[in-house]
Amino acid sequence: MAAEGKSRKRREPGGGAEGEAQPEPGAQPEVLFPPGFSVSEIKNKQRRQFMFQRWKRARRQEQLAAKKKRQKEREALGDKAPPKPVPKTIENQRVYDETTVDPQDEEVAFDEATDEFSSYFNRETSPKILITTSDRPRGRTVRLCEQMAKVVPNSHVFYRRGLALKKIIPQCVARDFTDLLVINEDRKVPNGLVISHLPNGPTAHFKMSSVRLAKELKRKGKNPTEHIPEVILNNFSTRLGHSIGRMLASLFPYDPQFVGRQVATFHNQRDYIFFRFHRYIFRNEKKVGLQELGPRFTLKLRSLQKGTFDSKYGEYEWVHKRHEMDTSRRKFHL
Amino acid sequence: MRDRMGRGGRTDGTHKMAARRFHVWVGAESGILKGVDLGGKRAVNLTDFNRAQEISDIAWRDPEETEVLLGCVDGTVKVFSTREGIVTESRHCSGGEGPLRGLAVYNSSLVTCTESGLLKVWTEDSEDHVEVGRGVCRMRQDAGRPECVATGGKENALKVWDLQKLQQPIFTAKNVRNDWLDLRVPIWVRDMQFIPGSGKIVTCTGHSQVRVYDPSSPQRRPVMEMTYEEYPITALSLTSDANSVVVGNTRGQIAILDLRKGRLLKCLKGQAGSIRGLHCHPTLPLVASCGLDRFLRIHNTESKVLQHKVYLKSRLNCVLFTSRENWEEEAADGAATVKEEEEDEIWDSMATVTDRPESKRKTGPQEAPASQKRLKQMSKDSELKSTNASTFLED
């Protein structure tokens, strides 16, 4: 093992020192350490490192032995073996959020049936998206906008000529746009996303990170086609998560064309929303092949505002306050 | 803290019993009035969903707090009785567009104000009304002098009206001087409250200013002004000692400001959405806040501690405290009754030496004071009943 090699190497040049040190705290069982002794109390760095590596090796061997013993016991018991203990992950340890939506809840169902997205989910309106950026965008952002325009059907990219969003919004409403997507850029890298649902709907402000353009992905597929993709929304369990999920779903038309075999996924895990765009093919009933097309990015919700974009006078439905909300590592809000 | 859906006939019985126990009344955007019992941590829906009748204002109809007035977005006023637990009457207040922004009761007649500025007094025979100006955000009545009401709104200065003579306001506030760039300071009065004792009025604006006006002084400009953060302040409430005011803004920041010196005393944390309603308890140091993040929070104003947090599933518009004070006694009362029931079960399940058929009340040493407390409560309720009968409002 590499650790052993190192200790052997150290033993040779410091042979003199190690030679006399070795019999003392060495491997002989007659030497008794004072109780409460720990490896970190040795002041000599070389000796300390050597002792630590030896302790670690011994511990590893004990653990392997215990594991083998447990496995033998398990096989011996056969069917009567107790179930394997589930390891604790942050997702299992998540603090139960009281705003988690119960599927049978009538009040929440009524609320959702009459909110701003109800006309989309009743198939009365179909989305028309305007994609723009912050002022004077650089290369990556421009290419991301173009790729988003291919991924999201019925979307148009416009160059932001330094116009105020509050002036753009009435013009969009007049031209029947349903959503406005603004990709914010900082130092040539896209880092923020504002989705504003148009007639008077909520505005969500996200922080965007890990943006990978289609060229940077290891993909072998062709470009996305014009078919309307399916939308997958994973793990939006709380009331706030529901609102955001509905908002993201309402960007895509409500009748997916399964012929196109394209799917856009918004996966929420630990309050981060991962966006991926794939083309799938079922090779048989159990195997699926996936090609990743299109851009990928990660979003984190910063605020949800009730009306259209108005950061100064608008009313916020939810604002991320880091010092109050991020105190527990097991509490998530989406 | 689980919500129980109170609908229709099945839970009417519990409504009758429990309606008197509610500590806080909250009006939601979906048109539901919710009564919240903080001792048992329960919230009960008392009306049905109706988004067209979203509750925009809530007020007590009488000082004994037996009936709640609800003002809706389409101009309807509903009266909810706390004893019966149902909406007893509903009246449509026509005239004026926009949601109802203020409700008051004067000489047993209803006073309403809509957003378009129509302030109307609804009496038996006549209807007195006056146009207050467009864009009204709030109308409030002075608790000490019920004939005075104040109105204010966006580009609508604070005006105090006398309900007996509605032609001219008693007091119109003047805008402050131009700012350091010599530009006119815009007006946006969002909420106001009369300070008891003196005739002063404290207002909060959409440009994050809190101002105190004194109608008795010769100057019509604010006597004191302070700013809090940079976001519009949407709700305001005076604490039980009238020296400080609790304000909340659109970002969910609640602060207690001192009115004597004009500085920030405390900040109350927790709210994540815009605060739509704030109400301080009349005597205890508690403040209830509700907002767009669907939670009702009760903070202690002295120790800044969040005492109760209840999830109510709709966005909340307005909140009202009952002025009951004996919360700890009630909590103990509840605990004592539960304990009694448990002890009754234990006693009943044990074999009895002598047969006692009416062993419903097994008195132990600790149950005597609790039963006395219950007697006291019952006598108090009967007092309330008699006073209510005398001040029965006819409409």
Side-chain angles (χ1 to χ4, degrees):
Chain A
M1 281 191 292
E4 252 182 340
K6 250 199 220 169
S7 60
R8 232 181 284 131
K9 264 195 221 159
R10 272 214 194 85
R11 244 181 269 167
E12 262 123 39
E18 282 296 295
E20 56 187 329
Q22 235 201 352
E24 242 181 342
Q28 280 112 45
E30 303 103 30
V31 181
L32 291 169
F33 294 113
F37 172 80
S38 94
V39 178
S40 56
E41 284 172 22
I42 303 177
K43 297 299 178 186
N44 185 331
K45 188 169 179 175
Q46 280 187 338
R47 248 183 263 170
R48 186 172 66 236
Q49 280 181 344
F50 172 73
M51 290 302 293
F52 180 70
Q53 280 162 10
R54 219 172 31 169
W55 174 83
K56 253 216 127 167
R57 226 174 294 142
R59 198 171 112 99
R60 179 117 183 89
Q61 279 168 357
E62 281 168 34
Q63 281 183 337
L64 281 172
K67 190 173 171 188
K68 276 200 184 136
K69 189 171 149 212
R70 255 183 282 139
Q71 205 167 18
K72 276 201 187 129
E73 282 172 16
R74 240 194 137 68
E75 280 167 23
L77 281 178
D79 280 335
K80 288 177 284 178
K84 276 193 178 175
V86 179
K88 290 188 196 174
T89 61
I90 290 194
E91 282 84 13
N92 330 15
Q93 304 295 100
R94 177 178 176 175
V95 166
Y96 174 71
D97 196 331
E98 52 191 348
T99 59
T100 307
V101 175
D102 177 24
Q104 276 93 37
D105 200 331
E106 294 169 344
E107 188 170 345
V108 174
F110 170 77
D111 208 5
E112 292 190 342
T114 47
D115 72 355
E116 297 98 349
F117 300 109
S118 55
S119 63
Y120 164 81
F121 284 99
N122 292 337
R123 294 172 195 258
E124 287 159 9
T125 52
S126 95
K128 187 175 172 193
I129 321 272
L130 182 100
I131 304 183
T132 183
T133 64
S134 54
D135 200 19
R136 294 178 61 86
R138 291 317 197 192
R140 275 184 74 91
T141 317
V142 171
R143 271 175 275 148
L144 177 68
C145 286
E146 289 165 12
Q147 288 174 11
M148 286 299 292
K150 282 191 207 142
V151 160
V152 179
N154 202 6
S155 56
H156 309 263
V157 181
F158 284 91
Y159 177 63
R160 176 99 175 267
R161 282 151 137 254
L163 298 166
L165 281 182
K166 284 199 212 170
K167 290 196 179 141
I168 299 179
I169 285 176
Q171 293 197 19
C172 288
V173 174
R175 277 155 224 219
D176 277 339
F177 279 94
T178 59
D179 286 274
L180 171 69
L181 231 75
V182 182
I183 298 180
N184 190 60
E185 184 203 2
D186 181 44
R187 295 173 122 223
K188 306 178 193 170
V189 149
N191 72 345
L193 179 68
V194 174
I195 304 184
S196 188
H197 189 71
L198 272 183
N200 41 10
T203 305
H205 176 37
F206 295 95
K207 186 163 67 163
M208 199 196 284
S209 50
S210 291
V211 179
R212 304 275 175 264
L213 301 175
K215 224 172 58 159
E216 296 156 14
L217 302 171
K218 289 183 184 157
R219 50 170 278 242
K220 301 165 193 161
K222 300 181 189 164
N223 286 333
T225 57
E226 294 287 320
H227 295 105
I228 298 176
E230 295 170 56
V231 179
I232 294 182
L233 297 161
N234 271 344
N235 215 4
F236 288 92
S237 54
T238 65
R239 187 73 185 84
L240 178 68
H242 257 240
S243 313
I244 299 291
R246 282 165 72 86
M247 176 179 243
L248 293 171
S250 70
L251 293 175
F252 296 86
Y254 204 10
D255 25 349
Q257 290 170 325
F258 297 99
V259 179
R261 287 183 283 121
Q262 289 175 142
V263 58
T265 311
F266 291 95
H267 175 88
N268 170 36
Q269 189 160 340
R270 301 195 197 175
D271 281 354
Y272 284 91
I273 303 175
F274 299 92
F275 171 75
R276 302 285 183 268
F277 192 74
H278 293 280
R279 179 181 288 134
Y280 61 88
I281 180 162
F282 280 99
R283 299 190 203 285
N284 56 30
E285 274 182 15
K286 294 186 188 170
K287 275 198 188 174
V288 184
L290 281 182
Q291 281 179 347
E292 187 166 0
L293 332 164
R296 69 152 81 153
F297 48 82
T298 315
L299 298 172
K300 185 165 190 201
L301 181 69
R302 282 172 75 171
S303 66
L304 178 66
Q305 190 197 324
K306 188 165 183 242
T308 53
F309 183 80
D310 188 348
S311 55
K312 203 167 171 202
Y313 298 119
E315 290 198 314
Y316 286 89
E317 232 186 272
W318 188 83
V319 176
H320 181 68
K321 294 185 183 173
R322 189 163 71 94
H323 294 285
E324 292 172 37
M325 295 178 188
D326 280 353
T327 46
S328 162
R329 294 183 72 139
R330 283 152 188 69
K331 183 158 176 55
F332 305 111
H333 308 280
L334 272 188
Chain B
M1 284 174 265
R2 279 211 322 264
D3 231 318
R4 217 185 281 173
M5 291 288 301
R7 307 204 68 183
R10 185 169 57 87
T11 43
D12 250 343
T14 53
H15 280 178
K16 277 187 200 170
M17 297 291 290
R20 255 173 273 151
R21 293 193 63 99
F22 291 140
H23 298 116
V24 192
W25 302 86
V26 191
E29 249 187 35
S30 43
I32 303 178
L33 172 69
K34 292 175 187 266
V36 183
D37 174 14
L38 296 168
K41 301 242 170 171
R42 269 186 6 227
V44 180
N45 287 357
L46 297 159
T47 53
D48 272 340
F49 320 123
N50 194 342
R51 203 168 271 266
Q53 297 199 321
E54 172 188 329
I55 299 177
S56 59
D57 202 10
I58 192 173
W60 290 116
R61 198 184 189 187
D62 49 348
E64 290 83 24
E65 300 182 354
T66 50
E67 294 190 310
V68 182
L69 284 172
L70 307 170
C72 303
V73 166
D74 61 351
T76 330
V77 177
K78 295 188 191 165
V79 179
F80 180 86
S81 154
T82 53
R83 348 207 110 259
E84 277 122 62
I86 48 169
V87 176
T88 43
E89 38 185 297
S90 148
R91 148 196 280 176
H92 182 74
C93 300
S94 56
E97 306 131 7
L100 283 180
R101 292 289 184 198
L103 287 174
V105 173
Y106 172 61
N107 267 355
S108 73
S109 54
L110 184 67
V111 184
T112 59
C113 185
T114 60
E115 192 175 0
S116 61
L118 188 70
L119 172 68
K120 234 177 179 177
V121 182
W122 301 81
T123 50
E124 281 285 313
D125 31 3
S126 66
E127 287 169 3
D128 209 359
H129 70 274
V130 73
E131 284 287 337
V132 172
R134 309 215 59 229
V136 173
C137 283
R138 216 60 169 108
M139 177 200 83
R140 281 245 209 217
Q141 189 185 34
D142 190 354
R145 302 172 296 161
E147 68 271 6
C148 287
V149 294
T151 58
K154 186 153 193 181
E155 293 306 326
N156 188 342
L158 174 75
K159 297 185 183 93
V160 181
W161 304 85
D162 185 349
L163 289 172
Q164 287 150 351
K165 300 173 279 198
L166 272 180
Q167 289 79 32
Q168 285 286 326
I170 314 177
F171 172 74
T172 313
K174 196 170 169 185
N175 196 4
V176 295
R177 292 205 168 87
N178 288 350
D179 62 8
W180 62 289
L181 291 170
D182 203 19
L183 292 171
R184 176 188 172 266
V185 177
I187 302 177
W188 189 1
V189 177
R190 287 213 53 169
D191 202 356
M192 74 283 286
Q193 194 150 3
F194 281 87
I195 301 179
S198 58
K200 293 190 202 167
I201 307 157
V202 55
T203 62
C204 66
T205 67
H207 301 286
S208 50
Q209 297 138 340
V210 177
R211 295 176 173 152
V212 179
Y213 292 90
D214 193 356
S216 58
S217 77
Q219 64 165 6
R220 287 160 52 212
R221 288 211 165 109
V223 167
M224 198 198 68
E225 177 171 353
M226 37 177 173
T227 50
Y228 172 62
E229 294 272 339
E230 303 151 354
Y231 294 98
I233 302 179
T234 49
L236 169 118
S237 179
L238 278 173
T239 52
S240 45
D241 59 330
N243 289 325
S244 46
V245 66
V246 186
V247 296
N249 66 7
T250 54
R251 269 246 167 179
Q253 293 156 330
I254 309 178
I256 304 181
L257 308 170
D258 188 15
L259 284 176
R260 293 175 290 186
K261 280 223 157 176
R263 54 188 195 90
L264 175 70
L265 285 177
K266 295 182 174 89
C267 281
L268 303 174
K269 288 193 187 172
Q271 200 88 8
S274 166
I275 294 168
R276 284 278 179 94
L278 269 182
H279 196 232
C280 285
H281 194 276
T283 42
L284 299 171
L286 298 171
V287 58
S289 57
C290 73
L292 291 182
D293 66 342
R294 303 179 165 99
F295 273 94
L296 168 73
R297 284 180 173 86
I298 311 246
H299 290 267
N300 186 323
T301 48
E302 281 162 18
S303 64
K304 302 196 283 189
V305 166
L306 173 69
Q307 292 195 324
H308 302 272
K309 178 173 134 176
V310 187
Y311 174 56
L312 306 166
K313 299 166 194 167
S314 319
R315 294 182 214 150
L316 309 166
N317 258 340
C318 34
V319 69
L320 199 61
F321 247 125
T322 53
S323 45
R324 274 193 310 198
E325 295 188 25
N326 41 1
W327 287 14
E328 300 86 31
E329 289 175 26
E330 278 179 22
D333 203 5
T337 47
V338 167
K339 231 167 129 193
E340 277 172 35
E341 286 161 20
E342 286 176 15
E343 290 188 15
D344 283 343
E345 285 169 25
I346 298 174
W347 284 114
D348 288 339
S349 64
M350 280 166 57
T352 48
V353 175
T354 51
D355 225 7
R356 264 181 265 183
E358 18 347 89
S359 59
K360 261 282 176 175
R361 302 225 172 284
K362 257 285 190 186
T363 49
Q366 73 272 40
E367 291 166 20
S371 54
Q372 276 179 19
K373 275 186 195 155
R374 240 180 304 119
L375 287 172
K376 267 193 212 159
Q377 187 91 18
M378 280 164 58
S379 61
K380 237 192 243 173
D381 286 339
S382 58
E383 279 169 27
L384 283 173
K385 266 190 193 151
S386 57
T387 48
N388 190 32
S390 61
T391 59
F392 182 71
L393 299 172
E394 295 151 7
D395 268 292

